[in-house]
Amino acid sequence: MLSDEVIDKYRRAGWIAKNTIDYAIRVAKPGVKLLDLAVLIENKIVELGGSPAFPVNLCVNDIAAHYTPVVNDDKTIPENSVLKIDIGVHVDGYIADTAVTISFNPVYDGLVEASRKALEKVLEIIKPGIRVSVIGKIIEET
C-alpha cells in the first residue's frame, strides 16, 4: 500500500503534467522551433515544482514517437501538420507521463478526435486484470 506522502507526490506530478500539457497546447503553433518548444515545456515543468522525467518528445506527422530535438536543431512545426507532445514529470522520483496530439490541419481533426474518444472509452473500463485484447477491441471499435 502506498503511503499518503507517495500518493501526494504522484498527485503533484500529475497536476504539473496536466498544467504543462495545457500550456504546451497554447504555445505550440506552426513556425515554432521544436527545440524552443521543448525548452519552454521543460521550463514550465520546473516552474511548477517538478523535474522532467525524460526529455520532451515532439513528434511531427509521420514521426510516431520519441523524437527529441537536440542543440542546433532547426526543425519547426510545419503548417498543416500534426504534432504529438509527450512529457514526463517527476516529483522526488514519482512519475506522471502524458501526451497530447494537436492538429494544425482540419483534414486530421477527425483522427485526433477519434483517438481522444477511444482513450475516454478505455478509461471507463480499465481496471486491474483487464486483458489487453479487450482494450484493443474498444480502441478498434471506436
Side-chain angles (χ1 to χ4, degrees):
M1 186 157 155
L2 299 176
S3 70
D4 289 344
E5 179 183 1
V6 168
I7 291 169
D8 286 343
K9 289 178 182 187
Y10 275 123
R11 283 187 177 142
R12 180 85 181 137
W15 180 87
I16 294 167
K18 165 72 169 98
N19 283 280
T20 301
I21 280 287
D22 290 346
Y23 169 75
I25 291 167
R26 290 191 306 273
V27 298
K29 305 281 182 248
V32 171
K33 283 187 177 183
L34 296 179
L35 182 58
D36 292 345
L37 180 58
V39 169
L40 286 171
I41 292 168
E42 290 184 356
N43 286 344
K44 179 57 85 172
I45 290 169
V46 172
E47 175 188 317
L48 294 174
S51 297
F54 52 82
V56 171
N57 297 171
L58 300 170
C59 306
V60 176
N61 294 335
D62 60 334
I63 307 300
H66 305 125
Y67 179 82
T68 299
V70 295
V71 174
N72 298 322
D73 189 332
D74 287 333
K75 291 180 187 74
T76 62
I77 301 170
E79 295 287 336
N80 298 311
S81 62
V82 175
L83 173 69
K84 186 187 82 166
I85 302 169
D86 184 355
I87 68 165
V89 173
H90 83 85
V91 172
D92 297 332
Y94 298 93
I95 297 172
D97 182 349
T98 190
V100 66
T101 302
I102 305 168
S103 171
F104 299 109
N105 183 337
V107 169
Y108 301 113
D109 289 351
L111 174 64
V112 172
E113 180 64 14
S115 299
R116 187 189 59 73
K117 284 183 179 180
L119 174 62
E120 287 175 358
K121 288 192 180 241
V122 167
L123 290 174
E124 291 173 7
I125 59 92
I126 198 137
K127 61 184 177 190
I130 193 164
R131 298 182 61 89
V132 173
S133 61
V134 172
I135 295 168
K137 181 177 182 196
I138 289 170
I139 291 169
E140 183 176 349
E141 289 173 352
T142 304

